[in-house]
Amino acid sequence: MSTVTMSKASAGQPVVVAKDLKRVYEIRRGFLRAPDHLQAVGGVSFSVDAGKTLAVVGESGCGKSTLARMVSLIETPTGGQLHIKGVDAVNAPQEERQGLRKAVQLVFQNPYGSLNPRKKVSAILEAPLEINTTLTAAERAEKARAMLAMVGLRPEHYDRYPHMFSGGQRQRIAIARALMLNPTLVVADEPVSALDVSIQAQVLNLLADLQQSMGLAYLFISHDLGVVRHIAHDVLVMYLGHAVEQGEKSTIFAQPLHPYTQALLASTPGLAGSSAVKHRIVLKGELPSPLNPPSGCVFSTRCPHVTERCRAERPLLREVGDRQVACHYAENFLTA
Ligand SMILES: Nc1ncnc2c1ncn2[C@@H]1O[C@H](COP(=O)(O)OP(=O)(O)OP(=O)(O)O)[C@@H](O)[C@H]1O
Ligand code: SF4
Ligand SMILES: [Mg+2]
């Protein structure tokens, strides 16, 4: 994975490039008090190519959904740069941003909440075409039926309501809706977390198949490294709004260098026994409040290897052993 400075659109360029992307929220606690500042995402950089999946992992509250909302243009970054299909997605004229909105589609965690219960599948799938294209009703229906088949649902499902489906089927409908406008990038925020484990694999397989056939890029948000292992090409591990380790999945899973990544892997069923998990770090203590993050290394309050230097000096994200990692002592884990 590379962090690239963007130029104009050209073939083979990444679909999305984020550079030092930031989001700060103002928290007001009363009329007379100055607002507090919560840094939900504190400068994250990445790129995703067509046909590839970048998985963003980390505990609850580390900024994953905030990142997802920025990349899907729902929320404006407070700092950094975001280019989608070579276009400056933050500063482009309104019309161009509208075009980008169609190119980036979201799939949410909760297939129960994200589908309108009063609308039939037909209306749910055809709505994006009705709003954004000049297709006739017959053409819209044809496209919707074709998409239904692509996500593994049957023709008779077309006239049914969301409540008549299982959780996995509803997520298939949500995926179908996201694909109706032929997007370039799909941002999926915990898309299988609400599903039974047995159903998760089916939906992950579907996402992988659709990626292949449509050349889609995925930004795949998950707290579960077991899920990420199945779908990711690259991985970005976040802690308190910061990227602590990022690179190719195979590299990171084979030899995690950041103590936080090591802890995540060690606590993931099915991965905990892997030979890569040499440093059995058990995460102790609470995640610090993002309103009052630790000085120095963000992980310093929970890291078993912490030193005075870690508390004083924030480690920069830097290249170590074929990936980027933000730990002063990453080399020690490389040789261990
Ligand atoms: N609109 C908002 N206003 C203020 N603070 C917010 C807002 N949205 C998110 N936050 C805060 O930003 C931080 C990151 O939240 P975010 O939802 O991005 O985390 P997450 O990694 O998606 O967590 P989860 O795994 O629980 O979904 C949290 O501390 C959260 O409370
Ligand atoms: S910099 Fe220090 S506290 Fe941070 S992860 Fe590395 S060893 Fe732990
Ligand atoms: Mg979230």
Side-chain angles (χ1 to χ4, degrees):
M1 183 166 46
S2 57
T3 303
V4 195
T5 34
M6 276 311 292
S7 59
K8 61 184 180 2
S10 63
Q13 71 179 357
V15 167
V16 53
V17 180
K19 227 182 152 208
D20 204 22
L21 212 53
K22 292 185 176 130
R23 175 73 211 193
V24 174
Y25 293 113
E26 277 196 357
I27 311 284
R28 298 208 161 262
R29 295 189 197 282
F31 234 33
L32 299 174
R33 283 182 57 179
D36 288 324
H37 291 94
L38 184 153
Q39 191 175 55
V41 175
V44 169
S45 303
F46 57 84
S47 64
V48 190
D49 290 337
K52 299 288 181 194
T53 300
L54 170 64
V56 179
V57 288
E59 281 168 288
S60 182
C62 73
K64 304 183 296 295
S65 293
T66 305
L67 189 66
R69 289 195 299 274
M70 288 194 284
V71 173
S72 35
L73 311 180
I74 293 171
E75 215 166 293
T76 310
T78 49
Q81 294 163 26
L82 178 68
H83 285 80
I84 294 171
K85 297 173 78 179
V87 176
D88 182 337
V90 180
N91 300 304
Q94 179 67 10
E95 207 172 302
E96 214 167 351
R97 280 172 56 83
Q98 280 316 109
L100 288 183
R101 283 222 166 84
K102 286 182 232 161
V104 184
Q105 294 290 322
L106 258 167
V107 175
F108 295 100
Q109 172 174 355
N110 185 351
Y112 300 88
S114 67
L115 300 174
N116 185 337
R118 286 181 294 278
K119 293 233 161 107
K120 287 183 179 175
V121 170
S122 51
I124 291 170
L125 297 190
E126 288 174 36
L129 298 177
E130 212 169 332
I131 297 163
N132 294 288
T133 73
T134 53
L135 295 177
T136 64
E139 288 166 338
R140 292 197 298 266
E142 191 188 344
K143 274 196 176 285
R145 285 182 186 279
M147 187 56 77
L148 210 58
M150 277 187 76
V151 300
L153 292 171
R154 293 196 300 275
E156 62 265 31
H157 290 147
Y158 185 70
D159 286 315
R160 295 191 186 162
Y161 289 93
H163 75 264
M164 301 163 92
F165 294 90
S166 68
Q169 287 174 321
R170 284 183 220 197
Q171 201 56 305
R172 286 173 191 265
I173 299 167
I175 291 165
R177 176 180 57 183
L179 299 182
M180 286 309 291
L181 292 176
N182 228 343
T184 314
L185 172 68
V186 173
V187 177
D189 192 352
E190 304 268 10
V192 299
S193 307
L195 304 177
D196 289 350
V197 173
S198 59
I199 308 296
Q200 286 186 353
Q202 295 173 14
V203 174
L204 291 173
N205 285 340
L206 171 67
L207 285 169
D209 290 347
L210 291 167
Q211 177 169 61
Q212 281 243 311
S213 57
M214 298 178 76
L216 298 164
Y218 290 153
L219 184 70
F220 188 95
I221 311 285
S222 179
H223 66 278
D224 184 346
L225 278 173
V227 164
V228 163
R229 182 172 57 152
H230 290 293
I231 189 109
H233 299 100
D234 291 327
V235 176
L236 191 164
V237 182
M238 281 181 80
Y239 188 82
L240 271 186
H242 294 273
V244 294
E245 185 159 6
Q246 67 188 98
E248 283 183 20
K249 175 189 71 178
S250 52
T251 307
I252 290 182
F253 275 62
Q255 194 177 41
L257 293 188
H258 196 283
Y260 180 60
T261 318
Q262 292 166 4
L264 281 185
L265 275 168
S267 66
T268 305
L271 298 176
S274 138
S275 60
V277 186
K278 290 183 187 131
H279 309 279
R280 298 203 172 274
I281 297 177
V282 178
L283 272 181
K284 282 187 280 196
E286 294 286 305
L287 194 69
S289 163
L291 275 170
N292 185 21
S295 57
C297 175
V298 279
F299 192 51
S300 57
T301 56
R302 298 167 89 191
C303 182
H305 308 290
V306 63
T307 66
E308 278 314 307
R309 181 184 176 201
C310 305
R311 294 195 181 94
E313 188 188 328
R314 174 153 305 171
L316 295 174
L317 198 66
R318 62 199 172 92
E319 199 84 26
V320 182
D322 294 337
R323 92 293 306 273
Q324 292 185 294
V325 56
C327 170
H328 293 309
Y329 305 108
E331 284 80 359
N332 296 358
F333 304 115
L334 195 58
T335 51

Short mmCIF file of all heavy atoms in Angstrom, two decimals, residues 244 257-260 296-307 309-311 313-315 326-330 333, ligand 2:
data_model
loop_
_atom_site.label_atom_id
_atom_site.label_comp_id
_atom_site.label_asym_id
_atom_site.label_seq_id
_atom_site.Cartn_x
_atom_site.Cartn_y
_atom_site.Cartn_z
N VAL A 244 -1.88 2.96 13.70
CA VAL A 244 -0.69 2.49 14.42
C VAL A 244 0.10 1.47 13.59
O VAL A 244 1.29 1.29 13.80
CB VAL A 244 -1.03 1.93 15.82
CG1 VAL A 244 -1.55 3.04 16.73
CG2 VAL A 244 -2.00 0.77 15.75
N LEU A 257 3.81 -5.98 14.14
CA LEU A 257 4.91 -5.31 14.85
C LEU A 257 4.43 -4.35 15.93
O LEU A 257 5.15 -4.11 16.89
CB LEU A 257 5.79 -4.54 13.86
CG LEU A 257 6.60 -5.37 12.87
CD1 LEU A 257 7.56 -4.48 12.09
CD2 LEU A 257 7.37 -6.49 13.58
N HIS A 258 3.25 -3.79 15.78
CA HIS A 258 2.78 -2.88 16.83
C HIS A 258 2.17 -3.70 17.98
O HIS A 258 1.37 -4.62 17.72
CB HIS A 258 1.75 -1.91 16.27
CG HIS A 258 1.53 -0.74 17.17
ND1 HIS A 258 0.79 -0.82 18.33
CD2 HIS A 258 2.02 0.53 17.12
CE1 HIS A 258 0.80 0.37 18.94
NE2 HIS A 258 1.54 1.20 18.22
N PRO A 259 2.51 -3.37 19.22
CA PRO A 259 1.94 -4.13 20.34
C PRO A 259 0.41 -4.17 20.34
O PRO A 259 -0.18 -5.16 20.77
CB PRO A 259 2.47 -3.37 21.57
CG PRO A 259 3.77 -2.79 21.11
CD PRO A 259 3.54 -2.42 19.66
N TYR A 260 -0.23 -3.12 19.82
CA TYR A 260 -1.69 -3.14 19.76
C TYR A 260 -2.18 -4.16 18.74
O TYR A 260 -3.12 -4.91 19.00
CB TYR A 260 -2.23 -1.74 19.43
CG TYR A 260 -3.74 -1.71 19.36
CD1 TYR A 260 -4.52 -2.05 20.47
CD2 TYR A 260 -4.41 -1.37 18.18
CE1 TYR A 260 -5.90 -2.04 20.41
CE2 TYR A 260 -5.79 -1.36 18.11
CZ TYR A 260 -6.53 -1.69 19.23
OH TYR A 260 -7.90 -1.68 19.17
N GLY A 296 2.43 11.63 24.15
CA GLY A 296 3.34 10.61 23.63
C GLY A 296 2.59 9.59 22.82
O GLY A 296 1.64 9.91 22.09
N CYS A 297 2.97 8.32 22.96
CA CYS A 297 2.32 7.26 22.20
C CYS A 297 0.87 7.08 22.65
O CYS A 297 0.62 6.96 23.86
CB CYS A 297 3.10 5.95 22.37
SG CYS A 297 2.29 4.55 21.57
N VAL A 298 -0.06 7.00 21.70
CA VAL A 298 -1.48 6.86 22.06
C VAL A 298 -1.75 5.56 22.81
O VAL A 298 -2.70 5.47 23.58
CB VAL A 298 -2.42 6.94 20.83
CG1 VAL A 298 -2.67 8.37 20.43
CG2 VAL A 298 -1.91 6.10 19.67
N PHE A 299 -0.89 4.56 22.60
CA PHE A 299 -1.11 3.25 23.22
C PHE A 299 -0.37 3.12 24.56
O PHE A 299 -0.42 2.07 25.21
CB PHE A 299 -0.65 2.14 22.24
CG PHE A 299 -1.07 0.75 22.61
CD1 PHE A 299 -2.39 0.45 22.91
CD2 PHE A 299 -0.15 -0.27 22.66
CE1 PHE A 299 -2.79 -0.84 23.25
CE2 PHE A 299 -0.52 -1.57 23.00
CZ PHE A 299 -1.85 -1.84 23.30
N SER A 300 0.29 4.18 24.99
CA SER A 300 1.22 4.07 26.13
C SER A 300 0.54 3.66 27.44
O SER A 300 1.17 3.02 28.27
CB SER A 300 1.99 5.37 26.31
OG SER A 300 1.10 6.45 26.50
N THR A 301 -0.75 4.00 27.61
CA THR A 301 -1.40 3.66 28.89
C THR A 301 -1.73 2.16 28.99
O THR A 301 -2.05 1.67 30.07
CB THR A 301 -2.70 4.46 29.09
OG1 THR A 301 -3.56 4.23 27.95
CG2 THR A 301 -2.43 5.95 29.24
N ARG A 302 -1.66 1.44 27.88
CA ARG A 302 -2.00 0.00 27.92
C ARG A 302 -0.89 -0.90 27.40
O ARG A 302 -1.07 -2.11 27.34
CB ARG A 302 -3.28 -0.23 27.09
CG ARG A 302 -4.47 0.50 27.65
CD ARG A 302 -5.60 0.50 26.64
NE ARG A 302 -6.48 -0.65 26.75
CZ ARG A 302 -7.40 -0.97 25.85
NH1 ARG A 302 -7.54 -0.24 24.77
NH2 ARG A 302 -8.17 -2.02 26.03
N CYS A 303 0.21 -0.32 27.02
CA CYS A 303 1.26 -1.12 26.37
C CYS A 303 2.21 -1.74 27.41
O CYS A 303 2.73 -1.04 28.27
CB CYS A 303 2.06 -0.23 25.43
SG CYS A 303 3.34 -1.15 24.55
N PRO A 304 2.43 -3.05 27.34
CA PRO A 304 3.33 -3.71 28.30
C PRO A 304 4.80 -3.33 28.09
O PRO A 304 5.62 -3.59 28.96
CB PRO A 304 3.11 -5.20 28.04
CG PRO A 304 2.56 -5.28 26.66
CD PRO A 304 1.83 -4.01 26.39
N HIS A 305 5.13 -2.72 26.97
CA HIS A 305 6.53 -2.39 26.67
C HIS A 305 6.82 -0.91 26.88
O HIS A 305 7.87 -0.41 26.46
CB HIS A 305 6.86 -2.76 25.22
CG HIS A 305 6.51 -4.16 24.86
ND1 HIS A 305 7.20 -5.25 25.35
CD2 HIS A 305 5.51 -4.67 24.09
CE1 HIS A 305 6.65 -6.36 24.87
NE2 HIS A 305 5.62 -6.03 24.12
N VAL A 306 5.90 -0.19 27.51
CA VAL A 306 6.02 1.27 27.60
C VAL A 306 7.29 1.69 28.35
O VAL A 306 7.72 1.03 29.30
CB VAL A 306 4.74 1.85 28.28
CG1 VAL A 306 4.59 1.33 29.71
CG2 VAL A 306 4.72 3.37 28.23
N THR A 307 7.89 2.78 27.87
CA THR A 307 9.05 3.38 28.54
C THR A 307 8.77 4.87 28.74
O THR A 307 7.76 5.38 28.24
CB THR A 307 10.32 3.26 27.68
OG1 THR A 307 10.14 4.06 26.50
CG2 THR A 307 10.62 1.81 27.28
N ARG A 309 10.29 7.22 27.32
CA ARG A 309 10.29 7.85 25.99
C ARG A 309 8.91 7.78 25.34
O ARG A 309 8.45 8.74 24.71
CB ARG A 309 11.33 7.13 25.10
CG ARG A 309 11.41 7.74 23.73
CD ARG A 309 12.36 6.98 22.82
NE ARG A 309 12.33 7.56 21.47
CZ ARG A 309 12.70 6.91 20.39
NH1 ARG A 309 13.17 5.68 20.47
NH2 ARG A 309 12.63 7.49 19.21
N CYS A 310 8.24 6.64 25.50
CA CYS A 310 6.90 6.46 24.90
C CYS A 310 5.92 7.49 25.47
O CYS A 310 5.05 7.98 24.74
CB CYS A 310 6.36 5.07 25.18
SG CYS A 310 7.43 3.73 24.67
N ARG A 311 6.06 7.78 26.76
CA ARG A 311 5.11 8.71 27.39
C ARG A 311 5.37 10.15 26.96
O ARG A 311 4.49 10.99 27.03
CB ARG A 311 5.19 8.60 28.91
CG ARG A 311 4.71 7.27 29.44
CD ARG A 311 4.46 7.29 30.93
NE ARG A 311 4.03 5.99 31.39
CZ ARG A 311 4.86 5.07 31.89
NH1 ARG A 311 6.15 5.33 32.02
NH2 ARG A 311 4.39 3.89 32.26
N GLU A 313 7.18 11.10 23.92
CA GLU A 313 7.39 11.36 22.49
C GLU A 313 6.45 10.48 21.65
O GLU A 313 6.50 9.25 21.76
CB GLU A 313 8.85 11.01 22.17
CG GLU A 313 9.31 11.39 20.80
CD GLU A 313 10.71 10.81 20.52
OE1 GLU A 313 11.52 10.67 21.46
OE2 GLU A 313 10.95 10.46 19.36
N ARG A 314 5.63 11.13 20.85
CA ARG A 314 4.72 10.35 20.00
C ARG A 314 5.48 9.71 18.85
O ARG A 314 6.16 10.41 18.11
CB ARG A 314 3.61 11.24 19.46
CG ARG A 314 2.72 10.48 18.47
CD ARG A 314 1.33 11.00 18.40
NE ARG A 314 0.68 11.03 19.69
CZ ARG A 314 -0.49 11.62 19.91
NH1 ARG A 314 -1.12 12.20 18.95
NH2 ARG A 314 -1.02 11.60 21.12
N PRO A 315 5.38 8.38 18.71
CA PRO A 315 6.10 7.74 17.59
C PRO A 315 5.43 8.05 16.26
O PRO A 315 4.19 8.01 16.16
CB PRO A 315 6.00 6.24 17.91
CG PRO A 315 4.83 6.11 18.82
CD PRO A 315 4.63 7.42 19.53
N ALA A 326 3.74 2.68 13.93
CA ALA A 326 4.02 3.81 14.82
C ALA A 326 4.38 3.28 16.21
O ALA A 326 3.54 3.24 17.11
CB ALA A 326 2.81 4.73 14.88
N CYS A 327 5.62 2.83 16.34
CA CYS A 327 6.12 2.37 17.65
C CYS A 327 7.62 2.62 17.68
O CYS A 327 8.32 2.26 16.71
CB CYS A 327 5.83 0.88 17.85
SG CYS A 327 6.65 0.19 19.30
N HIS A 328 8.10 3.21 18.75
CA HIS A 328 9.54 3.50 18.86
C HIS A 328 10.38 2.22 18.76
O HIS A 328 11.52 2.25 18.35
CB HIS A 328 9.85 4.18 20.20
CG HIS A 328 9.26 5.54 20.33
ND1 HIS A 328 9.43 6.51 19.38
CD2 HIS A 328 8.49 6.10 21.31
CE1 HIS A 328 8.80 7.62 19.76
NE2 HIS A 328 8.23 7.39 20.93
N TYR A 329 9.79 1.11 19.19
CA TYR A 329 10.60 -0.11 19.35
C TYR A 329 10.19 -1.22 18.36
O TYR A 329 10.43 -2.39 18.62
CB TYR A 329 10.49 -0.61 20.79
CG TYR A 329 10.88 0.47 21.78
CD1 TYR A 329 9.92 1.09 22.57
CD2 TYR A 329 12.20 0.89 21.88
CE1 TYR A 329 10.27 2.10 23.45
CE2 TYR A 329 12.56 1.91 22.76
CZ TYR A 329 11.59 2.51 23.53
OH TYR A 329 11.94 3.52 24.39
N ALA A 330 9.58 -0.83 17.26
CA ALA A 330 9.06 -1.82 16.31
C ALA A 330 10.14 -2.81 15.87
O ALA A 330 9.86 -4.00 15.71
CB ALA A 330 8.47 -1.12 15.09
N PHE A 333 10.52 -6.11 17.73
CA PHE A 333 9.56 -7.19 17.48
C PHE A 333 9.85 -7.88 16.15
O PHE A 333 9.47 -9.02 15.94
CB PHE A 333 8.14 -6.63 17.49
CG PHE A 333 7.81 -5.91 18.76
CD1 PHE A 333 7.55 -4.55 18.76
CD2 PHE A 333 7.81 -6.59 19.97
CE1 PHE A 333 7.28 -3.88 19.93
CE2 PHE A 333 7.52 -5.93 21.15
CZ PHE A 333 7.26 -4.57 21.14
S1 SF4 B 2 5.89 3.42 21.34
FE1 SF4 B 2 6.10 2.52 23.38
S2 SF4 B 2 4.03 2.58 24.27
FE2 SF4 B 2 3.84 2.90 22.06
S3 SF4 B 2 3.43 0.89 21.26
FE3 SF4 B 2 5.64 1.20 21.10
S4 SF4 B 2 6.48 0.34 23.01
FE4 SF4 B 2 4.28 0.59 23.31
#
